[in-house]
Amino acid sequence: MHTACQALQHQKGRRHYNKLRHLAKDARHDCVVFANEFHQHCYLPREKGESMEKWQTRSIYNAAVWYYNHCSGQMPIVMVTEDEDAIRQYGNETEGVFVISFKNYLDNFWPDLKAAHELFESILQARREREIESQENNGKEYPEHLPLEVLEAGIKSGRYIQGALSVNKHRAQLEAFVRLQGFSSKETEIQSDILIYGAKARNRAIHGDVVAVELLPLHEWKGRTVALCENETEDKAPLDTTGDPMPTGKVVGIIQKNWRDYVVTFPSREESQPQGRNAQKVLVTPWDYRIPKIRISTQQAEALQDYRVVVRIDSWESTSVYPNGHFVRVLGRIGDLEGEIAAILVENSICVAPFSEIQMSEMPVSSSKNPWKVSPEEEKRLDLRATHLIFSIDPKGCEDVDDALSVRTLPNGNLELGVHIADVTHFVAANSYTDVEARARATTYYLADRRYDMLPSVLSADICSLLSGVDRYAVSVLWELEKESYEMLSVCYNKTIIRSAYKLTYETAQGLLDGDTSVVGDILELKDLDDRTRQKKLAELVWAVSKLTDIARHVRAKRDSCGALELEGVEIRVQLDDKHNIHDLIPKQPLEVHETVAECMILANHWVAKKISEHFPHQALLRQHPPPRQEFFTELRECASAKGFAMDTRSNKALAESLDKANDPLDPIVNQLLRSMATHAMSNAMYFSTGSCSEEEFHHYGLALEKYTHFTSPIRRYADIVVHRLLMAATLKEKKGDVKDNLLSNKDLEELCKHINNRNRAAQRAQKQSTELFQCMYFKDKTPETDERCVADGVIYSIRTNGVLVFVPRYGIKAAAYMKNKEGLVISCQGDGSCEWKPGSLQRFQNKITSTTTTGESVTLSLFDHITVKMLVQTSRCHADTIKLEIIKNAPHQSADMEVSQRSFQRVKCELVKAVSQSAEAAQRAQEKTRVEVIDEDFEKYCQTKGASLYQLLEEIRDLALLDVSADIRT
């Protein structure tokens, strides 16, 4: 009922109203909102002196009676309310219309739904406890929040500042920061985050809430903690461990709560204590350090002590130290793999229920006996099966092949480059059940040992997957290139039918590129051919891979010169044995063919972005990457200066050139870490609607492109599905004129972009957390004292007051290594470099830290020093386990052969790109000297866009391996 929605808004506020409206709009729930107040037979005027609540109840009942009669009494109508007067008044008034409480509804209609009954009892108990507490507690623990209208006026005038609260997980009891969102005062000069110090100043705000902050006087400003911290036990900051004072404030009100489901752990038997007079009250500890303890009422506390449990927060009154909540459901046992994975999913609000029957009923039929075939109606598509050598290059074991490539020589001597993307939208109609589900998921979720698909597997792994030797529908972007300079002469976009000839792995393609004939045996499509045919087809394939790579090199070098960034991420693959036990953690080997594929995908995304934004300037989905704030580069500049390098961060081009120059010939890891720091300073790339901001804001900082989108992975990204529909509408518009079907308005598209951005961040967090889970599981099974796999080379990349942060290349781990332990002892190094703990003190400098024992022995560790560290697992009953490092030797650990090969590849890659860049620049100077005009209109237009980069392979490569998300710019 429309009136019921309005009643919720009136009683509970806009947030709950919007939540209900979104649930009702979701096609998966089969809900319809009846506009009863606008219906001739249902509308009731409000009587004089009648309260809003009484009128709304009367209106809902009247509409229920009308609907019962409208259906000719063929089905009963149930009106659920907690208004006892309404139950008494209307309960027996009309036969067939039941007016009952929610408890009676459950008891009478769903008596066997045990989970619902338990949840209801939990909520009811929590409400009783809250009422009792409010009567008993008159003393205030926190100041009252200001009314919303006061907050809005204060933000407008500049007295208060609006922003999202971000709690420091390492200092969750004390430190939180508010990142500015949108204050309108011209007088406010605050450009950095605002520190919220202590629980009182946080005033019941929870991580993620949008809050209003009032700045404290200048003399009360504090600095952020620069010491390494233990999450669970340290409630007070050590003396002299804070940085320079920064803007500090207090929360005066909450504009928008960001409460969600929380994974918690009950106290152990040793920790359990009765809470006041009622032993049913229990303080549970959230899995996320940033969330405060939650008080719930339950009779199952003892039975659930060994389990991860989901709870929800109901309220946080000013008279209560902790928020109140209720029990929802059990996830699994603490430490059990499935339980821990479930915790990661819940913490990131990821729902991975199986696809429903109605969604599966929309899928086309395909089986081994009856494989899917091209429909005669689709024969009108451009048919590339007989004319193009098309192949895919993907990770080993990849099933969802959504892109393929081609290159060929045209009759006029020029080249044609093709990027062919699975035509997912042909099978996923707009607003179908499958489309609604894909939109809700927004992305495929990749974890260390599994993935959760955005689309049913019949599409993602079969009909839409561009496998070799089978016909598939595709959307193809085809460029005509000048045969020598590779200038873009023309481009076209078509719906096509393709048949991929080869499904190559990256390793096989790299082998063909390097002339390694041993990889030919890995190409299954060549196995059953005679020698002559095999050699002929192999020669064609080698030419195509080599030509693609040559084109990618030139395009990349040309665009790199315009300021595109090559940044650094660490990708670790979890290798499992047959029983799914962890066998090893393997850093991914970078290959040039990775960049070849990525460069082609970048090119297609860029040209599609230009196409759709040209035809739909106010409702196209693009991807922007805003320039980072300069203060985020402070650590990068300081670390670079420690090695004698200057970092110019004023533009992406200046930063790219500075990073290229920051090479230590004796230690390639230095450049890798500097690029990782630069990546960490970046803001996130985001989807947006072109109607929501000016064209100057479309720019992608990392790729140095004026316009960019995602088009090349519709099997695993919903944004690409939207872009495919836009592209097809744009090409149809050119042929038939105005097209409006299936296009979202700017407002709806902007709302969808926010949802996709949110889901992408959740996917990245889940990916990172699952990697860390498996890293801990890997080392948990080892004996650190005897297992050499627990010892590795580490590089110091940050100095703190009581230790250092260390990067371990072998395992892609970044973690803290303390130089002062809890007993106050400091690290001391012997003559052979081995370390032990002794009484003493630490002194921190900008680029180094010195440990001095009471006997006068001292050791200094500096930025980028190589040390030997031992990996230890710090277990936690309530939270995720973490990796902790222990310095065992003040000297490098012996490098593994794999690390050496990686470093040599980086040097070869760098030299190759520089050689091509120098070649392109030399050719350009020769052209200028002879005044040869070679730039046609299309090429000139293309050159206005700025540069590609090498780092984007981290986005486009769909390995089941995982990225170091903290170092991900995300193209």
Side-chain angles (χ1 to χ4, degrees):
M1 298 279 182
H2 174 75
T3 303
C5 295
Q6 294 299 316
L8 181 70
Q9 182 178 13
H10 175 69
Q11 296 170 21
K12 298 291 186 179
R14 191 80 184 173
R15 177 172 170 268
H16 286 85
Y17 169 78
N18 287 336
K19 193 172 182 181
L20 177 62
R21 293 289 292 181
H22 282 120
L23 283 170
K25 283 167 62 178
D26 192 331
R28 295 171 298 175
H29 297 143
D30 290 329
C31 291
V32 176
V33 177
F34 174 43
N36 61 299
E37 292 180 24
F38 301 93
H39 190 276
Q40 179 182 359
H41 300 294
C42 295
Y43 172 72
L44 290 177
R46 187 175 171 185
E47 296 176 354
K48 188 175 181 179
E50 186 177 27
S51 69
M52 176 68 77
E53 290 78 8
K54 292 291 182 185
W55 171 71
Q56 288 173 332
T57 300
R58 190 163 59 90
S59 295
I60 293 169
Y61 177 73
N62 183 61
V65 172
W66 175 86
Y67 192 69
Y68 176 74
N69 293 324
H70 175 71
C71 296
S72 304
Q74 293 182 16
M75 64 176 71
I77 305 297
V78 181
M79 175 179 165
V80 179
T81 178
E82 296 303 308
D83 185 341
E84 294 180 3
D85 291 339
I87 294 172
R88 280 194 297 269
Q89 183 177 351
Y90 302 120
N92 299 312
E93 188 170 298
T94 306
E95 185 179 356
V97 179
F98 297 90
V99 182
I100 57 177
S101 68
F102 190 74
K103 186 178 188 309
N104 284 337
Y105 173 69
L106 282 179
D107 291 342
N108 291 305
F109 289 87
W110 303 98
D112 299 325
L113 204 60
K114 184 180 177 183
H117 284 269
E118 289 178 352
L119 178 58
F120 177 71
E121 285 300 323
S122 178
I123 294 171
L124 211 60
Q125 183 65 23
R127 182 186 292 178
R128 292 192 204 103
E129 296 292 347
R130 197 160 65 247
E131 290 172 356
I132 294 170
E133 183 181 279
S134 62
Q135 293 171 3
E136 292 179 346
N137 294 342
N138 297 318
K140 301 281 186 184
E141 294 288 345
Y142 299 97
E144 292 290 348
H145 292 145
L146 297 177
L148 189 58
E149 57 269 21
V150 175
L151 297 177
E152 290 174 346
I155 291 167
K156 193 171 182 180
S157 68
R159 179 176 181 182
Y160 306 133
I161 298 170
Q162 176 179 323
L165 186 79
S166 178
V167 177
N168 178 0
K169 68 178 181 179
H170 301 294
R171 304 288 301 163
Q173 301 295 322
L174 292 176
E175 273 189 3
F177 301 91
V178 170
R179 179 152 297 175
L180 311 190
Q181 263 191 350
F183 55 88
S184 58
S185 171
K186 294 180 181 178
E187 299 175 3
T188 305
E189 297 179 354
I190 302 298
Q191 297 298 321
S192 66
D193 294 344
I194 298 169
L195 172 64
I196 308 297
Y197 189 83
K200 293 287 185 186
R202 207 177 298 174
N203 194 6
R204 295 170 287 149
I206 289 174
H207 176 78
D209 287 352
V210 178
V211 298
V213 173
E214 183 176 24
L215 285 176
L216 297 175
L218 195 63
H219 67 273
E220 295 184 34
W221 287 12
K222 299 178 182 293
R224 68 172 72 216
T225 304
V226 293
L228 299 175
C229 312
E230 294 283 356
N231 298 45
E232 295 177 272
T233 56
E234 298 180 20
D235 292 335
K236 296 182 180 179
L239 296 175
D240 302 322
T241 60
T242 58
D244 296 332
M246 63 183 294
T248 306
K250 62 180 180 181
V251 174
V252 294
I254 299 176
I255 296 166
Q256 181 181 334
K257 293 188 172 98
N258 194 36
W259 296 354
R260 55 174 174 80
D261 285 0
Y262 299 103
V263 178
V264 303
T265 306
F266 281 77
S268 63
R269 290 170 181 79
E270 297 76 24
E271 299 169 324
S272 296
Q273 293 178 352
Q275 300 289 316
R277 295 182 302 176
N278 192 338
Q280 291 180 334
K281 287 184 180 180
V282 182
L283 271 180
V284 293
T285 303
W287 186 86
D288 187 341
Y289 282 104
R290 299 169 297 186
I291 308 302
K293 289 183 178 180
I294 302 167
R295 182 166 49 221
I296 68 169
S297 297
T298 179
Q299 298 176 346
Q300 305 178 64
E302 188 171 345
L304 296 175
Q305 286 176 340
D306 298 324
Y307 291 86
R308 300 269 188 234
V309 174
V310 178
V311 303
R312 288 186 189 136
I313 294 177
D314 298 316
S315 66
W316 195 348
E317 308 299 335
S318 60
T319 55
S320 175
V321 177
Y322 300 104
N324 294 299
H326 66 270
F327 165 85
V328 177
R329 69 181 189 276
V330 177
L331 287 181
R333 282 189 175 275
I334 297 170
D336 176 68
L337 175 61
E338 294 305 315
E340 297 301 319
I341 291 290
I344 290 172
L345 296 176
V346 169
E347 280 295 311
N348 292 288
S349 303
I350 295 173
C351 177
V352 289
F355 292 98
S356 67
E357 286 186 22
I358 195 166
Q359 289 157 6
M360 296 306 296
S361 69
E362 296 177 338
M363 295 296 98
V365 176
S366 182
S367 64
S368 56
K369 293 183 179 179
N370 183 26
W372 175 87
K373 295 178 182 177
V374 170
S375 168
E377 294 84 35
E378 291 298 318
E379 295 287 350
K380 61 189 176 185
R381 290 170 174 255
L382 180 63
D383 193 341
L384 307 181
R385 288 174 288 186
T387 56
H388 288 63
L389 173 63
I390 297 173
F391 54 92
S392 62
I393 306 176
D394 288 285
K396 288 179 181 176
C398 180
E399 295 177 338
D400 50 346
V401 181
D402 45 19
D403 61 78
L405 300 165
S406 68
V407 62
R408 65 173 183 153
T409 303
L410 297 173
N412 63 5
N414 288 331
L415 295 172
E416 182 192 74
L417 170 66
V419 172
H420 313 276
I421 306 301
D423 189 0
V424 172
T425 56
H426 176 82
F427 302 98
V428 181
N431 299 318
S432 63
Y433 286 103
T434 307
D435 184 57
V436 170
E437 179 65 29
R439 187 189 312 155
R441 297 190 182 202
T443 182
T444 291
Y445 298 96
Y446 291 93
L447 304 187
D449 64 333
R450 66 193 75 188
R451 76 168 189 262
Y452 297 102
D453 290 325
M454 182 182 77
L455 296 171
S457 60
V458 67
L459 293 182
S460 63
D462 186 5
I463 297 173
C464 288
S465 187
L466 306 183
L467 305 171
S468 63
V470 290
D471 296 342
R472 292 290 182 257
Y473 295 152
V475 178
S476 301
V477 184
L478 301 167
W479 296 269
E480 183 177 350
L481 310 178
E482 204 283 323
K483 59 183 176 182
E484 292 182 355
S485 65
Y486 303 137
E487 294 173 21
M488 305 286 174
L489 302 178
S490 65
V491 62
C492 62
Y493 311 86
N494 292 288
K495 283 197 166 193
T496 56
I497 302 175
I498 69 168
R499 183 184 296 141
S500 175
Y502 304 99
K503 182 178 181 291
L504 304 178
T505 66
Y506 283 112
E507 292 75 13
T508 302
Q510 186 65 45
L512 295 176
L513 194 60
D514 297 338
D516 181 1
T517 56
S518 65
V519 301
V520 176
D522 298 329
I523 305 174
L524 300 178
E525 295 83 353
L526 295 178
K527 280 197 172 180
D528 297 329
L529 302 176
D530 60 78
D531 288 344
R532 186 176 178 182
T533 306
R534 184 187 302 114
Q535 290 303 320
K536 181 184 175 183
K537 289 187 173 293
L538 181 61
E540 292 173 350
L541 180 59
V542 170
W543 178 87
V545 173
S546 301
K547 185 58 68 175
L548 272 177
T549 303
D550 199 33
I551 293 170
R553 287 172 186 166
H554 278 74
V555 174
R556 183 172 61 245
K558 196 180 299 177
R559 292 166 59 192
D560 278 345
S561 65
C562 297
L565 294 168
E566 179 190 348
L567 298 175
E568 195 67 45
V570 180
E571 191 168 354
I572 296 295
R573 182 164 60 89
V574 178
Q575 189 179 74
L576 304 175
D577 60 23
D578 296 337
K579 296 181 180 179
H580 288 271
N581 296 317
I582 308 166
H583 177 66
D584 201 358
L585 300 173
I586 302 173
K588 185 169 181 179
Q589 289 277 18
L591 304 171
E592 187 184 7
V593 75
H594 287 150
E595 286 125 26
T596 298
V597 176
E599 186 61 37
C600 293
M601 300 303 114
I602 292 284
L603 200 61
N605 288 334
H606 169 55
W607 280 83
V608 169
K610 292 202 294 183
K611 180 75 171 179
I612 63 175
S613 61
E614 175 188 338
H615 285 274
F616 306 109
H618 304 296
Q619 55 190 123
L621 186 152
L622 298 188
R623 190 158 172 83
Q624 64 183 171
H625 183 211
R629 285 159 52 175
Q630 285 299 308
E631 62 265 27
F632 292 170
F633 285 121
T634 302
E635 185 177 19
L636 171 65
R637 286 192 289 261
E638 290 176 353
C639 289
S641 66
K643 277 285 184 179
F645 302 124
M647 281 290 150
D648 186 347
T649 60
R650 289 174 295 178
S651 69
N652 52 358
K653 182 174 175 61
L655 176 59
E657 291 174 350
S658 298
L659 288 169
D660 286 341
K661 294 174 184 175
N663 268 314
D664 184 343
L666 301 177
D667 189 3
I669 292 290
V670 170
N671 189 263
Q672 184 181 344
L673 279 171
L674 290 175
R675 290 183 187 276
S676 178
M677 289 177 195
T679 307
H680 192 66
M682 299 292 163
S683 51
N684 291 336
M686 298 176 294
Y687 298 108
F688 71 101
S689 170
T690 49
S692 64
C693 58
S694 64
E695 195 163 341
E696 291 76 29
E697 298 176 68
F698 291 5
H699 185 71
H700 195 293
Y701 178 89
L703 295 176
L705 291 171
E706 295 301 331
K707 292 177 182 175
Y708 189 68
T709 192
H710 274 163
F711 157 76
T712 53
S713 295
I715 288 177
R716 64 187 180 94
R717 290 189 305 228
Y718 190 76
D720 301 54
I721 289 179
V722 176
V723 169
H724 274 241
R725 289 174 181 151
L726 285 164
L727 179 62
M728 290 302 99
T731 54
L732 194 62
K733 188 177 180 183
E734 288 180 338
K735 299 174 184 176
K736 297 186 178 180
D738 194 30
V739 174
K740 290 186 178 178
D741 290 347
N742 297 332
L743 295 185
L744 297 171
S745 66
N746 173 57
K747 182 180 178 183
D748 290 341
L749 184 57
E750 187 60 23
E751 187 176 329
L752 176 61
C753 288
K754 288 178 181 176
H755 166 70
I756 297 175
N757 290 332
N758 175 276
R759 292 295 81 213
N760 279 352
R761 287 191 292 269
Q764 290 158 0
R765 288 193 302 267
Q767 198 176 56
K768 182 174 185 287
Q769 288 162 358
S770 73
T771 304
E772 292 168 347
L773 169 65
F774 274 82
Q775 284 175 334
C776 289
M777 290 174 64
Y778 177 73
F779 289 111
K780 213 172 187 178
D781 295 335
K782 312 287 182 290
T783 305
E785 289 72 27
T786 58
D787 197 322
E788 62 179 16
R789 288 172 291 184
C790 294
V791 178
D793 187 59
V795 186
I796 297 170
Y797 69 91
S798 186
I799 306 292
R800 300 301 172 90
T801 56
N802 57 342
V804 293
L805 294 177
V806 178
F807 170 57
V808 183
R810 168 64 181 86
Y811 298 112
I813 290 171
K814 289 181 176 178
Y818 286 84
M819 295 181 67
K820 188 173 189 176
N821 63 18
K822 291 180 179 179
E823 288 73 37
L825 303 177
V826 299
I827 205 160
S828 172
C829 293
Q830 309 306 307
D832 61 352
S834 60
C835 300
E836 61 181 6
W837 298 101
K838 290 184 178 181
S841 61
L842 297 178
Q843 188 174 9
R844 180 201 183 208
F845 303 93
Q846 183 174 335
N847 301 322
K848 61 184 180 180
I849 183 170
T850 299
S851 169
T852 307
T853 65
T854 53
T855 57
E857 303 161 354
S858 69
V859 59
T860 298
L861 297 182
S862 302
L863 280 174
F864 303 112
D865 278 358
H866 284 251
I867 56 177
T868 301
V869 293
K870 182 191 294 181
M871 267 66 66
L872 304 170
V873 178
Q874 185 170 335
T875 58
S876 173
R877 185 174 168 275
C878 298
H879 310 282
D881 293 344
T882 54
I883 298 289
K884 190 176 177 182
L885 301 180
E886 181 182 309
I887 302 173
I888 60 174
K889 198 171 185 180
N890 182 23
H893 187 63
Q894 278 294 337
S895 298
D897 293 340
M898 185 168 60
E899 292 175 8
V900 174
S901 66
Q902 273 189 286
R903 294 175 186 178
S904 64
F905 171 80
Q906 292 290 345
R907 285 197 293 272
V908 169
K909 180 180 75 174
C910 187
E911 290 166 5
L912 178 62
V913 172
K914 286 181 179 177
V916 176
S917 299
Q918 289 167 2
S919 174
E921 290 168 4
Q924 186 177 353
R925 285 195 296 271
Q927 289 174 353
E928 290 172 355
K929 188 174 182 180
T930 56
R931 300 180 181 178
V932 177
E933 295 294 328
V934 295
I935 305 179
D936 63 17
E937 184 178 347
D938 284 338
F939 179 63
E940 184 175 2
K941 181 180 180 182
Y942 174 67
C943 272
Q944 289 173 357
T945 64
K946 299 174 185 177
S949 74
L950 303 176
Y951 83 87
Q952 68 272 8
L953 65 93
L954 300 176
E955 170 68 14
E956 298 297 338
I957 296 167
R958 296 168 314 286
D959 196 350
L960 296 183
L962 301 174
L963 296 178
D964 175 4
V965 182
S966 66
D968 178 20
I969 298 189
R970 298 168 286 279
T971 59

